[in-house]
Amino acid sequence: MADQDIPADIQALSFEEALKQLEELVRQLEKGESRLDDAISAYERGANLKKHCEAKLAEARMKVERISFGPGGEIGTQPMDRE
Protein backbone atom coordinates (compact mmCIF):
# COMPACT_ATOMS: atom_id res chain seq x y z
CA MET A 1 0.00 0.00 0.00
CA ALA A 2 2.39 2.67 -1.21
CA ASP A 3 1.39 6.33 -1.23
CA GLN A 4 2.99 8.46 -3.95
CA ASP A 5 3.16 11.45 -1.57
CA ILE A 6 5.28 9.56 0.97
CA PRO A 7 9.04 9.62 0.28
CA ALA A 8 10.57 6.27 -0.66
CA ASP A 9 12.84 6.20 2.40
CA ILE A 10 9.76 6.34 4.65
CA GLN A 11 7.84 3.79 2.56
CA ALA A 12 10.71 1.35 3.10
CA LEU A 13 10.35 1.52 6.89
CA SER A 14 8.50 -1.05 8.94
CA PHE A 15 5.68 0.18 11.15
CA GLU A 16 7.90 -0.08 14.22
CA GLU A 17 10.77 1.84 12.63
CA ALA A 18 8.46 4.60 11.40
CA LEU A 19 6.77 4.89 14.79
CA LYS A 20 10.14 5.13 16.55
CA GLN A 21 11.27 7.93 14.21
CA LEU A 22 7.95 9.72 14.67
CA GLU A 23 8.26 9.55 18.45
CA GLU A 24 11.79 10.97 18.26
CA LEU A 25 10.65 13.84 16.03
CA VAL A 26 7.85 14.67 18.45
CA ARG A 27 10.31 14.75 21.36
CA GLN A 28 12.59 17.10 19.42
CA LEU A 29 9.74 19.41 18.43
CA GLU A 30 8.38 19.49 21.98
CA LYS A 31 11.73 20.81 23.22
CA GLY A 32 11.21 23.86 21.02
CA GLU A 33 14.93 24.31 20.45
CA SER A 34 14.93 23.86 16.67
CA ARG A 35 15.22 26.64 14.14
CA LEU A 36 11.96 27.38 12.35
CA ASP A 37 13.09 25.84 9.05
CA ASP A 38 14.27 22.69 10.82
CA ALA A 39 11.02 22.48 12.80
CA ILE A 40 8.96 22.79 9.60
CA SER A 41 11.01 20.05 7.92
CA ALA A 42 10.64 17.83 10.98
CA TYR A 43 6.89 18.46 11.04
CA GLU A 44 6.58 17.54 7.34
CA ARG A 45 8.58 14.34 7.87
CA GLY A 46 6.48 13.57 10.93
CA ALA A 47 3.28 13.99 8.92
CA ASN A 48 4.61 11.53 6.33
CA LEU A 49 5.67 9.08 9.03
CA LYS A 50 2.19 9.31 10.57
CA LYS A 51 0.54 8.71 7.20
CA HIS A 52 2.82 5.70 6.62
CA CYS A 53 1.99 4.24 10.05
CA GLU A 54 -1.73 4.69 9.41
CA ALA A 55 -1.41 2.92 6.05
CA LYS A 56 0.50 0.03 7.63
CA LEU A 57 -2.18 -0.33 10.33
CA ALA A 58 -4.97 -0.25 7.73
CA GLU A 59 -3.16 -2.93 5.73
CA ALA A 60 -2.80 -5.12 8.82
CA ARG A 61 -6.45 -4.57 9.71
CA MET A 62 -7.52 -5.70 6.24
CA LYS A 63 -5.54 -8.92 6.65
CA VAL A 64 -7.21 -9.93 9.89
CA GLU A 65 -10.77 -8.63 9.56
CA ARG A 66 -12.17 -10.85 6.83
CA ILE A 67 -14.60 -13.30 8.32
CA SER A 68 -16.36 -15.81 6.11
CA PHE A 69 -19.42 -17.96 6.56
CA GLY A 70 -19.45 -21.49 5.21
CA PRO A 71 -22.41 -23.14 3.46
CA GLY A 72 -23.59 -24.63 6.75
CA GLY A 73 -23.32 -21.32 8.59
CA GLU A 74 -19.97 -22.10 10.22
CA ILE A 75 -17.72 -19.12 10.77
CA GLY A 76 -14.16 -19.05 9.44
CA THR A 77 -11.55 -16.60 8.29
CA GLN A 78 -9.84 -16.03 5.00
CA PRO A 79 -7.01 -13.69 4.07
CA MET A 80 -8.15 -10.56 2.29
CA ASP A 81 -7.35 -10.30 -1.40
CA ARG A 82 -4.50 -7.87 -1.95
CA GLU A 83 -4.90 -5.17 -4.55
Side-chain angles (χ1 to χ4, degrees):
M1 179 179 268
D3 186 326
Q4 305 297 36
D5 297 334
I6 299 175
D9 67 314
I10 292 176
Q11 288 183 27
L13 297 173
S14 69
F15 173 82
E16 293 80 10
E17 293 166 332
L19 185 60
K20 184 176 179 179
Q21 286 188 24
L22 181 56
E23 289 170 342
E24 181 59 33
L25 282 175
V26 169
R27 277 193 288 278
Q28 290 173 2
L29 288 171
E30 285 177 339
K31 288 181 183 178
E33 299 172 354
S34 301
R35 294 182 21 216
L36 180 60
D37 289 342
D38 294 337
I40 291 170
S41 293
Y43 179 84
E44 290 171 348
R45 181 164 177 84
N48 283 321
L49 286 164
K50 177 183 175 280
K51 189 185 297 187
H52 178 66
C53 287
E54 289 170 343
K56 288 288 194 181
L57 286 174
E59 185 178 329
R61 188 175 302 120
M62 294 287 289
K63 288 179 181 176
V64 296
E65 283 187 349
R66 182 154 186 206
I67 298 173
S68 64
F69 296 94
E74 63 275 354
I75 298 174
T77 60
Q78 295 177 339
M80 292 292 289
D81 295 330
R82 296 183 98 174
E83 296 179 301

